[in-house]
Amino acid sequence: MSIAGNLAAIQTRIQRACADSGRAPSSVRLVAVSKLHPAALVAEAAATGQTIFGENYVQELVDKAAQLTCPVAWHMIGHLQSNKVKYLPGIVSMIHTVDRLSLAQEIDRQWRDKLSAVCDILVQVNVSGEVTKSGTTRAEALDLVRAIAPLPNVRIRGLMTMPPFFDDPELARPYFRELRQLADQISNEQIPGIEMTELSMGMSGDFEVAIEEGATLVRVGTAIFGER
Ligand SMILES: *Cc1c(COP(=O)(O)O)cnc(C)c1O
């Protein structure tokens, strides 16, 4: 199928999952994950009205952004090294993968020095505890949020997670639910300047389950652009 056809099919499935769980369709935004696909495919998707694109690798993101002539919003969704943050101000509008204070401090510094602006970020939580996954632990998430909160040039908008891969998306449900519960707990702490309005969770194989559990940003790659 075409990218336009894939996008339309995904939007229909998002709307159905929202309807099934009593949520407004406007409460879920699609992040089209374009990693390892050329800028021409991003342009093709953008031409159909898709606005948010997710990338994992800084160099690839910077190159692709330079090639695009239409306005899109880039979200950084991959593991991020502090020494690469300096390439991102002015390019990305959200960073989903903040899992340590030192990284938040570097984002704060770069957004202050280069833009005098505030960067929207999500705190990545490793809810499954798999050693191969990035993310702060469930136990440390609240302390990390508290530590980041005073930084003036970053704004925490919510949480992000990546559960283990399962063939059956139902098996991912407990991890999505746990992220939602953690966001509710952090929200109840009423930390000044902290919003827990965004939950970035769900990919090609499990985004409907994620929506049922409260996802506001679903990160879908393969189902839009095909295999990488
Ligand atoms: C690649 C990637 C996705 C998209 O995965 P698909 O299974 O291709 O939809 C989503 N989130 C992250 C963090 C990724 O690295």
Side-chain angles (χ1 to χ4, degrees), residues 111-174:
W111 255 253
R112 182 194 63 210
D113 292 354
K114 299 220 165 73
L115 298 177
S116 299
V118 175
C119 182
D120 283 336
I121 65 168
L122 304 177
V123 169
Q124 181 177 3
V125 185
N126 181 359
V127 280
S128 65
E130 289 171 288
V131 290
T132 53
K133 290 250 161 74
S134 315
T136 185
T137 64
R138 197 183 195 293
E140 286 164 348
L142 177 60
D143 283 345
L144 179 59
V145 168
R146 281 194 202 284
I148 294 173
L151 300 177
N153 292 81
V154 297
R155 182 172 60 152
I156 298 179
R157 303 292 313 280
L159 305 179
M160 177 273 206
T161 200
M162 226 171 134
F165 176 80
F166 300 106
D167 285 323
D168 176 2
E170 276 304 321
L171 298 177
R173 188 183 295 277

